[in-house]
Amino acid sequence: MNPGDIVEFQHHDAFVIGVVTDLVGATKLALRTSDGVEARASRADVSLHFQSTVDVTDDSAIERRLALLDQRAADLTQNIDLEALWELCGDGDATLDSLVDLMFGENDDASRLSLVRALRGDRTFFKELDSLWRPRDSDSVAAMKTQLEAEKYKHEARDRFIQEVVEALAAGEDAQAKVAGWQADPLAAPYLESIQEAALAEDISRVAEAVALVAEIDAKLNEGLSDSGQLRAFNLLVRLGIWDEHQNISVLRAGLNSGFDDDVLAAAEQAVQSLDTALEGRADFTDWFTITIDDSNTRDVDDAISVRPTLEGGWDVAIHIADPSAVIEPGSMVDRVAQARGTSVYVPTGTIPMLPPVISERAVSLVEGKNRPAVTLLAHYDEELCLASWSFQRSTIRVNQRLSYREADELLDSESLSHVAEILGTLNYLAEEQMMERAENGAITIDLPEPKLRVTFDDPPVVDHRIIHETRAHCLIRELMVLYNHLAAQLLDERGFPAVYRVQEGPDRDQVQGLYAVPEGYPREFARLKTMRKGEVSTYPGRHFGLGIDGYVQVSSPIRRFGDMAMQRQLVAAAEGVSPVYTEDELMALVADVEQASYIASTIQRESAKYWMIYLLSNVEHKLAAQVLDVRDDARSRSVVLIHEFGLRAQMKVKPGVQRGDEIQVKVERTDPRRDLLTFRQVD
């Protein structure tokens, strides 16, 4: 190979023709292409060596010669019939030159270039093996034809889908009808699904084809889509009316659905038909005056409380937990669906329930005035308020009074002499005594405000926000639930039943001592929160540092958490002296699934709440009072502040000299809910 030779070579994953302008060492070539590009290639990259040569000192001659060769090859390619060539050449491997002779009857540079381009462009009839071409057998040719026809059909379907999307967006109001057609069309539906996958993808590199599809659609639109990549796909789905602009991506990404399949709903309806039968043979607590305390909009009520004085001067306290297993058999369809969901998910826009509403909100929810199945802890306190004895039993209860937390707090703070106020006062006294006892045993209570949002979809959506502080009513319910779960753990341990215990180690001593250097109030509460270690699950009862008790299971929310429902089944079996419902291996396998579901649920709840908080703050222009909870570096770029008006903890940069505990003024700087963007700046 010498300077002036014309060759075809591989360059950036493509075959191009060029002229060798120089030899570079023993293995490299300097080349010039028809468009004047100077290139380097190894001798191994040369795929064809042509007969013609050209003067390397004349750039215009090089470009003319290469352009002429390229055009002649293109003209010849129009008349190449590869199927006829395949029929002529027989079964043996053939060189390119022999195929050129068969096809054209002569062998020149343009003939060779045109045929090799045709062979590479259509692999139906020949397979390339180094410098040889092997004719495919008849079956392979037939299969290749079928494959190519399918690919052509698919490509046409893709082009048609792109055009229809563009037309649908131009039509505006007709887009919905088009969407329904695509969803029912087996050719169009995959493209629609791929766009959704692109909008949901956490790693955009894995959906490159879908991203390219959206980009092609965008390029054809008169009014283009804003953004790029994932957000561009999201905007397309919104423009088509498939998604709402406030679509919860976290929920879709997790594959959750607030509804249930028809067969599950039918099974749930069938299950609740057994409710009356399920209430038979239970301890009867319907003559106890029973109350519930929950949020005013709660529909899946799973705990209720009662108290009665004893003749000896003590108290009988009954804590009732809803019993969904009264109508749900372990292993049934409804049970399997509940286990797969793992937990109910609560977001500002509503609830994604673990159980169908006919069960969770009606048949087993502890609604006022209805007989309902429960598992009751009956605790006997003596006149000195010492817990003398206790037992768990399946029960039937009837709630006499439903209270919201606000209503309960108003009664606790009042001087009312009503029966409900008397019950609350008694239970509150018992709760305060227990809380003090736990505190003496090292229990930690974190007092930090938390925002709670509720969204009403209007035009635009309305976000109602309030700040949750732990009130006396919250404390009362918390303490009774802690007691219930603690004694449940104690019974399961005593009976040797497999159980899932919640344990938590204490913080490092140095961290605890360091708290005294933090200003009192919210900064110290925040610092205390950071010292707390993550809770863990164990098959053995152990210390729960945060609660200040030894032995704790979660069994008090069986309507909302499958792990609680499973543990409630174990608890009932232990209380009634029958065999455990689950072995230890079954329980741990179940809990592994449920813990993963709980993690996903907490992620969804956190991301959803943040989205709507950013949306709410988008229209806030006034100054906001804030307190600095933590200053994390010398540059103060990662300080944490508490925005009082919204109960929101946010990270931001504060001015030099600002210390932990200082009160400052801030303003919302930038917001974008869809991009998870929220920044504040400190102002005077």
Side-chain angles (χ1 to χ4, degrees):
M1 204 171 301
N2 299 300
D5 288 357
I6 300 175
V7 297
E8 181 197 61
F9 65 100
Q10 281 189 284
H11 184 59
H12 298 317
D13 298 323
F15 289 98
V16 296
I17 54 174
V19 172
V20 178
T21 58
D22 198 6
L23 304 180
V24 184
T27 61
K28 296 287 186 181
L29 303 172
L31 302 115
R32 184 180 180 86
T33 64
S34 59
D35 53 6
V37 173
E38 300 287 346
R40 291 288 180 95
S42 69
R43 291 175 181 265
D45 290 330
V46 174
S47 48
L48 284 177
H49 189 180
F50 297 109
Q51 302 166 0
S52 304
T53 61
V54 64
D55 183 0
V56 297
T57 63
D58 188 342
D59 291 344
S60 60
I62 292 176
E63 293 178 14
R64 285 195 307 274
R65 179 66 66 84
L66 293 178
L68 179 61
L69 175 60
D70 194 52
Q71 184 59 52
R72 287 189 61 206
D75 292 341
L76 288 171
T77 301
Q78 303 292 326
N79 300 315
I80 291 176
D81 185 343
L82 290 180
E83 186 167 9
L85 180 63
W86 171 70
E87 292 173 348
L88 286 172
C89 73
D91 297 330
D93 294 346
T95 63
L96 177 64
D97 288 340
S98 65
L99 292 176
V100 170
D101 289 338
L102 275 175
M103 187 75 251
F104 297 107
E106 59 180 358
N107 195 321
D108 60 19
D109 292 345
S111 301
R112 296 176 71 213
L113 181 59
S114 66
L115 185 58
V116 79
R117 285 177 174 176
L119 290 167
R120 291 194 191 114
D122 183 354
R123 304 278 182 168
T124 305
F125 302 99
F126 294 89
K127 180 179 181 180
E128 186 174 12
L129 298 171
D130 295 327
S131 59
L132 298 175
W133 293 88
R134 175 171 296 172
R136 298 183 187 274
D137 59 51
S138 299
D139 290 341
S140 297
V141 168
M144 288 291 290
K145 284 183 175 181
T146 301
Q147 180 182 339
L148 289 172
E149 187 64 28
E151 289 176 358
K152 177 185 176 183
Y153 193 55
K154 182 179 178 181
H155 186 74
E156 290 173 349
R158 184 179 185 275
D159 289 344
R160 186 167 58 252
F161 174 77
I162 291 173
Q163 187 58 36
E164 288 182 1
V165 169
V166 172
E167 292 173 356
L169 290 175
E173 60 184 11
D174 296 329
Q176 289 287 351
K178 284 284 190 180
V179 168
W182 297 329
Q183 291 170 334
D185 183 349
L187 293 176
Y191 296 115
L192 203 58
E193 291 168 4
S194 71
I195 295 172
Q196 292 174 315
E197 290 173 2
L200 295 174
E202 295 184 87
D203 181 359
I204 201 71
S205 65
R206 296 186 176 184
V207 288
E209 288 187 14
V211 171
L213 174 65
V214 175
E216 284 188 52
I217 293 171
D218 190 21
K220 295 177 180 293
L221 292 174
N222 293 328
E223 183 182 345
L225 303 166
S226 59
D227 301 307
S228 60
Q230 183 184 44
L231 283 177
R232 180 157 55 184
F234 177 88
N235 292 334
L236 174 57
L237 293 166
V238 171
R239 288 269 297 273
L240 289 169
I242 297 172
W243 286 356
D244 181 82
E245 65 173 306
H246 300 296
Q247 194 76 38
N248 193 319
I249 293 297
S250 300
V251 169
L252 292 175
R253 191 173 282 149
L256 296 181
N257 189 339
S258 59
F260 292 84
D261 291 341
D262 290 344
D263 56 344
V264 178
L265 292 175
E269 288 283 359
Q270 182 64 35
V272 301
Q273 300 304 312
S274 65
L275 179 60
D276 289 341
T277 303
L279 294 175
E280 297 174 359
R282 291 171 171 260
D284 188 357
F285 281 81
T286 56
D287 60 343
W288 287 55
F289 194 95
T290 301
I291 63 176
T292 62
I293 305 174
D294 224 313
D295 288 331
S296 58
N297 58 356
T298 298
R299 303 180 69 176
D300 50 349
V301 182
D302 54 14
D303 58 79
I305 50 179
S306 312
V307 63
R308 281 181 171 180
T310 65
L311 294 175
E312 295 78 15
W315 299 94
D316 285 342
V317 176
I319 306 171
H320 316 284
I321 302 298
D323 182 11
S325 295
V327 297
I328 301 173
E329 288 289 332
S332 65
M333 177 183 292
V334 174
D335 189 64
R336 294 195 303 272
V337 169
Q339 182 175 345
R341 293 196 174 204
T343 181
S344 294
V345 182
Y346 299 89
V347 294
T349 52
T351 302
I352 303 171
M354 180 184 78
L355 293 169
V358 68
I359 295 176
S360 62
E361 297 178 7
R362 287 166 47 194
V364 302
S365 180
L366 305 184
V367 296
E368 187 176 296
K370 300 290 186 180
N371 287 0
R372 288 292 181 260
V375 177
T376 294
L377 166 64
L378 183 58
H380 303 283
Y381 287 86
D382 62 24
E383 64 276 9
E384 296 181 356
L385 293 183
C386 293
L387 183 59
S389 63
W390 51 271
S391 63
F392 287 94
Q393 51 204 298
R394 289 188 298 163
S395 61
T396 300
I397 72 166
R398 183 188 300 120
V399 173
N400 302 91
Q401 182 83 52
R402 172 174 178 158
L403 298 172
S404 67
Y405 282 108
R406 181 183 58 80
E407 291 168 335
D409 281 315
E410 288 175 354
L411 285 170
L412 286 168
D413 294 337
S414 73
E415 297 180 358
S416 172
L417 299 178
S418 69
H419 185 43
V420 174
E422 183 182 353
I423 289 175
L424 289 176
T426 301
L427 290 172
N428 185 62
Y429 183 70
L430 291 169
E432 288 178 345
E433 288 292 312
Q434 177 177 292
M435 185 169 62
M436 286 189 291
E437 182 180 343
R438 289 197 303 109
E440 290 173 358
N441 290 327
I444 300 296
T445 301
I446 307 294
D447 181 20
L448 282 170
E450 295 290 342
K452 186 160 188 177
L453 306 178
R454 186 169 180 81
V455 176
T456 302
F457 278 106
D458 208 332
D459 189 17
V462 177
V463 182
D464 173 57
H465 85 281
R466 56 193 177 97
I467 301 173
I468 303 298
H469 295 273
E470 186 169 79
T471 65
R472 296 171 73 189
H474 285 98
C475 176
L476 185 160
I477 294 299
R478 182 197 67 211
E479 290 302 319
L480 295 181
M481 295 306 108
V482 169
L483 174 65
Y484 192 104
N485 290 330
H486 172 53
L487 294 180
Q490 189 171 318
L491 177 63
L492 289 164
D493 183 38
E494 289 173 355
R495 301 289 167 85
F497 270 48
V500 178
Y501 298 92
R502 303 283 164 168
V503 298
Q504 183 187 44
E505 294 184 8
D508 293 336
R509 183 181 298 273
D510 291 344
Q511 289 181 310
V512 175
Q513 291 177 341
L515 292 175
Y516 296 104
V518 179
E520 291 185 1
Y522 291 145
R524 185 174 293 182
E525 293 297 300
F526 182 69
R528 181 178 286 113
L529 177 64
K530 293 199 302 177
T531 68
M532 301 295 287
R533 295 188 178 181
K534 184 179 179 181
E536 298 178 347
V537 296
S538 171
T539 54
Y540 300 96
R543 181 73 173 167
H544 195 293
F545 175 83
L547 296 175
I549 55 178
D550 295 312
Y552 187 79
V553 295
Q554 283 186 340
V555 70
S556 54
S557 290
I559 295 178
R560 306 173 186 182
R561 296 191 297 247
F562 189 83
D564 288 38
M565 185 160 71
M567 289 307 303
Q568 187 184 61
R569 290 168 175 165
Q570 295 290 84
L571 174 64
V572 169
E576 296 182 348
V578 299
S579 299
V581 178
Y582 302 99
T583 66
E584 183 174 313
D585 288 344
E586 289 171 337
L587 204 56
M588 292 310 295
L590 177 154
V591 167
D593 293 339
V594 170
E595 289 292 301
Q596 177 63 20
S598 297
Y599 172 78
I600 293 171
S602 63
T603 300
I604 291 171
Q605 289 167 174
R606 182 180 64 253
E607 292 178 351
S608 302
K610 187 173 183 184
Y611 177 93
W612 287 107
M613 178 61 77
I614 297 173
Y615 175 85
L616 176 63
L617 290 169
S618 296
N619 297 315
V620 173
E621 298 180 355
H622 60 274
K623 293 181 180 180
L624 298 167
Q627 185 179 27
V628 179
L629 300 180
D630 195 11
V631 178
R632 294 188 173 177
D633 55 25
D634 292 338
R636 284 161 168 69
S637 60
R638 296 179 61 246
S639 299
V640 179
V641 301
L642 173 66
I643 313 294
H644 293 303
E645 185 176 334
F646 295 95
L648 173 68
R649 295 193 293 272
Q651 187 170 291
M652 63 174 290
K653 183 175 183 177
V654 296
K655 294 180 178 180
V658 172
Q659 301 297 321
R660 185 156 49 181
D662 287 355
E663 294 285 344
I664 62 173
Q665 296 284 312
V666 304
K667 290 196 74 172
V668 178
E669 186 175 44
R670 290 185 296 167
T671 59
D672 189 330
R674 189 53 63 192
R675 286 186 171 83
D676 193 30
L677 175 65
L678 173 63
T679 62
F680 295 91
R681 60 183 172 86
Q682 185 179 349
V683 295
D684 296 327

